[in-house]
Amino acid sequence: MSRKGFVVLIIAVFLLPLIPVADAQNPIFGVTLTCDAPAEMDVSPSGYEPVEMICTIENTATVGATKIEITNEWSGGATAEMLGATGEYSIDAGESEEFTVTFSGTTKQPSSNSYDFEIIATVTQWLNLPMSEPLPQENDSYQDTLEIATYGQADLDIKDLSTRKITA
């Protein structure tokens, strides 16, 4: 290949990501994020278990490895937390990788509580090229709400601790 043809090829590679495409995916590099819907979280004192959700990130690049950063936005506050929705993954073209997100929280929460969250996958590097200006960053996200399951519990508080006889 002549030097002039090589220069034209390099310029084309850098300009193609700037051309708008009919769908939102970049034709050269990109990412897709999919997740299972989270189950309701059981916060009853007798049945509490954390909730796990599997997410899959796919490198939609046609060629080359891509570095993908996972971040999140979470509204859990002090009563619930989300673990595992952060990190950086290096994935080859056309390949995918799974990660697990775990939700946990305090027991005895009212079922009216719910927590919105968003998991964001961003391409930060493609073929050892950092994705910053002038190259656009590609990203995908997953949004959902973690619901608290309804439970019932009766508490009996006895102030007088003296012996009582109860007949049925």
Side-chain angles (χ1 to χ4, degrees):
M1 178 181 278
S2 71
R3 184 172 175 87
K4 190 174 189 179
F6 182 71
V7 170
V8 170
L9 177 66
I10 294 297
I11 291 172
V13 166
F14 285 107
L15 290 179
L16 276 175
L18 302 175
I19 299 171
V21 182
D23 64 359
Q25 282 294 330
N26 184 310
I28 298 176
F29 60 88
V31 62
T32 301
L33 172 67
T34 56
C35 296
D36 300 336
E40 286 186 327
M41 185 163 56
D42 180 0
V43 294
S44 65
S46 61
Y48 173 76
E49 282 190 29
V51 172
E52 291 188 345
M53 176 179 77
I54 305 295
C55 293
T56 305
I57 46 177
E58 180 185 358
N59 176 0
T60 60
T62 54
V63 63
T66 300
K67 190 175 283 186
I68 298 168
E69 181 181 24
I70 303 296
T71 57
N72 70 74
E73 293 181 11
W74 169 246
S75 69
T79 56
E81 64 180 358
M82 177 171 67
L83 301 171
T86 58
E88 204 167 68
Y89 298 86
S90 184
I91 304 172
D92 290 328
E95 298 294 317
S96 62
E97 191 163 330
E98 289 184 348
F99 61 94
T100 302
V101 177
T102 304
F103 299 96
S104 61
T106 57
T107 58
K108 298 184 181 180
Q109 292 186 47
S111 61
S112 60
N113 286 2
S114 63
Y115 305 104
D116 295 328
F117 66 92
E118 180 176 16
I119 301 172
I120 304 137
T122 305
V123 175
T124 59
Q125 187 174 328
W126 174 66
L127 289 176
N128 295 324
L129 296 171
M131 295 291 108
S132 56
E133 293 298 328
L135 297 174
Q137 283 193 336
E138 288 291 317
N139 62 31
D140 196 10
S141 65
Y142 176 82
Q143 295 179 349
D144 208 338
T145 302
L146 176 67
E147 302 288 343
I148 302 299
T150 303
Y151 70 94
Q153 175 180 331
D155 289 333
L156 178 60
D157 290 334
I158 300 176
K159 304 280 186 228
D160 182 5
L161 298 177
S162 61
T163 306
R164 301 274 185 219
K165 181 177 180 184
I166 300 175
T167 57

